[in-house]
Amino acid sequence: VLRVPLAIFLLAIPVSQLSAQDYRISTGDDFGAVIDPEGNLFVSGAITTGGDGGLEQVPGTWREVSVSRTPAAEAHILLIASNGSLWSFGRNDRGQLGVGNQEDQSEPVQISTASTWVEVAAGGKHSLARNSAGQVFAWGDNTFGQLNVQPIYNNPAQDIQKSLPNSPVDPGNSYISISAGVYHSHAIRS
C-alpha cells in the first residue's frame, strides 16, 4: 500500500502561488485534509473510502475543515460549505457528526442549512461549531463535560448529544474562536 503524505501534495504546488489565506489544512493522528483555493477538499490517509492511505477528493465546494485528533479508524471531519452550511462525515459512535443518530457516514452529510457558520472544531468524539453571531454549539460525547454540560457519570450512554442543538452552549456571550481536543473544548469570548 502506497501512502502519499499530505505534505508531498502541498509541495507539488509552486511556493510562489501559496498563501495562508488560500488553503485550509487540518490533521489527525495519521490522516489529514486540505481545502485548496478553489474550495476542493482533499483527504489523505486511511479515513478515505477504500482506506489505502492515498489522496482522495471529496465532492463539494468547501471553505473550512476540521478533522478529529484521533487515529483514522476513529476519525470524523467537520466542514463548512462555500455557502456557509454545516456538514460532517466519518465515525459517529458518540453522535459527533450531529446527524441525530450514531451511524458512521462515509460521505459528507449536511447537518445545518443555515448559512452563518464560520468555524468548526472536531474533538476526539465531540464537535463544536461557531456561527457569525459568535454563538458556539457543541454535540457528541460529553463523558468529561466537553459540551459544557454536567456529565452523568453513572450512565455514559446518556452523555451523548446526537444532533446539532437548537441553542448555543453559552447563550449570553459571544465567542471569537473555538478549539477542541480529544477530551476537552476551548473558546475565546469576545
Side-chain angles (χ1 to χ4, degrees):
V1 174
L2 175 65
R3 292 185 180 238
V4 179
L6 191 57
I8 290 175
F9 166 71
L10 292 177
L11 292 176
I13 301 165
V15 175
S16 63
Q17 295 176 11
L18 292 178
S19 166
Q21 290 77 31
D22 292 339
Y23 290 84
R24 299 289 184 249
I25 300 171
S26 186
T27 60
D29 280 0
D30 55 359
F31 67 100
V34 62
I35 299 174
D36 72 13
E38 288 78 39
N40 299 304
L41 173 66
F42 297 92
V43 180
S44 104
I47 192 171
T48 58
T49 306
D52 65 359
L55 189 64
E56 290 189 28
Q57 185 172 357
V58 176
T61 307
W62 312 99
R63 71 174 187 216
E64 294 293 332
V65 61
S66 179
V67 301
S68 57
R69 280 114 178 123
T70 58
E74 297 292 317
H76 70 286
I77 296 179
L78 301 175
L79 298 161
I80 299 175
S82 59
N83 67 0
S85 59
L86 191 58
W87 298 68
S88 64
F89 73 103
R91 182 85 167 162
N92 194 34
D93 60 318
R94 299 292 288 169
Q96 58 266 45
L97 297 184
V99 296
N101 60 45
Q102 289 174 263
E103 297 174 17
D104 297 350
Q105 301 292 324
S106 61
E107 302 274 330
V109 176
Q110 188 171 23
I111 56 176
S112 172
T113 58
S115 61
T116 58
W117 300 104
V118 295
E119 187 178 16
V120 287
K125 292 187 181 276
H126 71 288
S127 301
L128 306 174
R130 184 174 61 87
N131 64 20
S132 58
Q135 297 172 312
V136 176
F137 295 79
W139 63 95
D141 183 32
N142 190 53
T143 303
F144 301 100
Q146 56 268 54
L147 305 184
N148 199 37
V149 177
Q150 182 65 36
I152 304 169
Y153 294 108
N154 297 332
N155 192 347
Q158 291 183 0
D159 274 334
I160 299 174
Q161 169 70 43
K162 298 179 198 172
S163 302
L164 177 69
N166 292 327
S167 58
V169 169
D170 185 8
N173 289 298
S174 177
Y175 292 84
I176 59 171
S177 185
I178 57 175
S179 181
V182 175
Y183 301 114
H184 60 283
S185 302
H186 294 277
I188 299 173
R189 196 173 357 188
S190 57

